[in-house]
Amino acid sequence: MSRRSLKPGSLGLLFCLAACIGGVLALQWPRLVAPPGRIDPVIVLPRPEAVQYLTFGYRNLLADWYWLDFVQYFGDIDTRRRTGYARSAEYLQLVTALNPAFLFAYAQANFAVAEMMAQPKLAIAILEAGAVRNPGRPDALGMPGTWYLYRLAGSVAFRHFGDYGRAARFYALAASQPAAPAVMKDNAAAFYQAANDSERAIRLWREFYYEAPLPELRAEALRHLKALGVEP
C-alpha cells in the first residue's frame, strides 16, 4: 500500500495557517483567561480590506473567530464602563468583510453602533451595506433576512434623526423583501403619511388592506384609508 505524502505547497499552507492561528491566540490569550473587568489590552484589529486577502481560504472561520471576540469584548460590561464601546463598528465591519452573508452581525449595528457608540449615521451605513450585499435573502435557521436590516435602518433613521421620509423608504424596502412581515407595509405607510407623502401612504395601505393576515390589521388599513378620504 502506498503512503500519501503532503506536497511542499500544502505543507507551507498548513504552516502559514498554524502560524496565523497561533498569533491570534497569543494576542487574545490575556483576555481569554482574565476575569471580566480586570483587563483591557490594546485591541489590534486588521483593516477589513486587507485581512480578507490573507485568510488562505478560511474567511468564514476567521469571521467566526472575530465574531466570538466581539461578543467577549462587548459583553465585558465592567471594562466597557471604563473604556467605552468605540471598537464595536470596527469589529462588525471586519466580521462582515470576511463573511458578507453574516446578516446577524450587521444587525448588531442597530444597538452596538447607533446606541452604545452614539454613531447612528455609521449604524445606518453598516445596516444598508448588509442589505445591499444580500438582496432578497429570507429568514433562515433563526437568522434574520434582508428585510430585517432595512427595518432596523428605518428605526435608526426615525429615532435618532426624526427623518420620517427616510424611515418610510427603509420600511418600504423591508416590505419588498421575501418573507417580510405584512406589517412592514403598514409601518412604511404610517411613516410616509407622517412625512406628508399621502400618495405613497395610500398606495401602501391599499396593498396592506388586501394582504393583511388578520382581520384586525385589515380594519386598521381601512381606517387609515377612510381618514385620508379614499376607499380601498
Side-chain angles (χ1 to χ4, degrees):
M1 179 181 295
S2 63
R3 179 180 296 177
R4 289 187 175 181
S5 60
L6 288 173
K7 297 180 180 179
S10 299
L11 287 171
L13 177 61
L14 288 174
F15 177 78
C16 290
L17 181 61
C20 289
I21 293 175
V24 172
L25 284 172
L27 288 171
Q28 300 302 326
W29 184 253
R31 291 175 58 205
L32 293 173
V33 299
R38 294 291 298 277
I39 188 170
D40 189 35
V42 176
I43 300 170
V44 180
L45 294 177
R47 295 179 63 84
E49 60 270 22
V51 71
Q52 55 188 321
Y53 298 109
L54 302 173
T55 60
F56 305 103
Y58 292 89
R59 291 177 57 166
N60 285 0
L61 179 62
L62 200 56
D64 290 344
W65 173 268
Y66 279 114
W67 168 253
L68 293 175
D69 197 39
F70 166 70
V71 171
Q72 185 183 36
Y73 161 84
F74 195 82
D76 191 346
I77 303 300
D78 292 337
T79 299
R80 299 282 70 75
R81 284 173 178 162
R82 291 189 289 106
T83 64
Y85 292 81
R87 309 307 293 272
S88 297
E90 292 179 63
Y91 267 114
L92 297 179
Q93 289 169 323
L94 176 58
V95 170
T96 55
L98 289 164
N99 183 0
F102 196 171
L103 267 63
F104 189 72
Y106 296 105
Q108 305 318 302
N110 174 60
F111 181 70
V113 180
E115 304 300 333
M116 303 311 292
M117 284 184 65
Q119 293 286 340
K121 184 177 179 180
L122 179 56
I124 290 175
I126 293 172
L127 291 164
E128 192 171 12
V132 170
R133 290 173 185 168
N134 296 274
R137 279 188 59 188
D139 298 344
L141 300 176
M143 294 293 104
T146 304
W147 73 269
Y148 188 61
L149 299 184
Y150 280 128
R151 182 261 179 195
L152 292 178
S155 175
V156 175
F158 165 63
R159 69 179 190 264
H160 283 278
F161 300 105
D163 191 336
Y164 293 102
R166 194 177 188 195
R169 289 190 291 274
F170 279 129
Y171 273 90
L173 284 168
S176 71
Q177 300 300 308
V183 73
M184 288 298 101
K185 282 189 177 179
D186 177 69
N187 295 161
F191 278 116
Y192 273 127
Q193 185 173 3
N196 297 315
D197 190 340
S198 298
E199 181 179 348
R200 286 189 175 88
I202 289 169
R203 176 176 58 80
L204 286 171
W205 264 318
R206 276 180 170 152
E207 292 177 7
F208 183 60
Y209 174 79
Y210 289 106
E211 298 171 7
L214 298 172
E216 295 85 355
L217 295 176
R218 191 178 184 189
E220 180 185 350
L222 181 60
R223 178 174 59 81
H224 284 296
L225 289 169
K226 287 184 174 180
L228 289 168
V230 297
E231 295 295 328

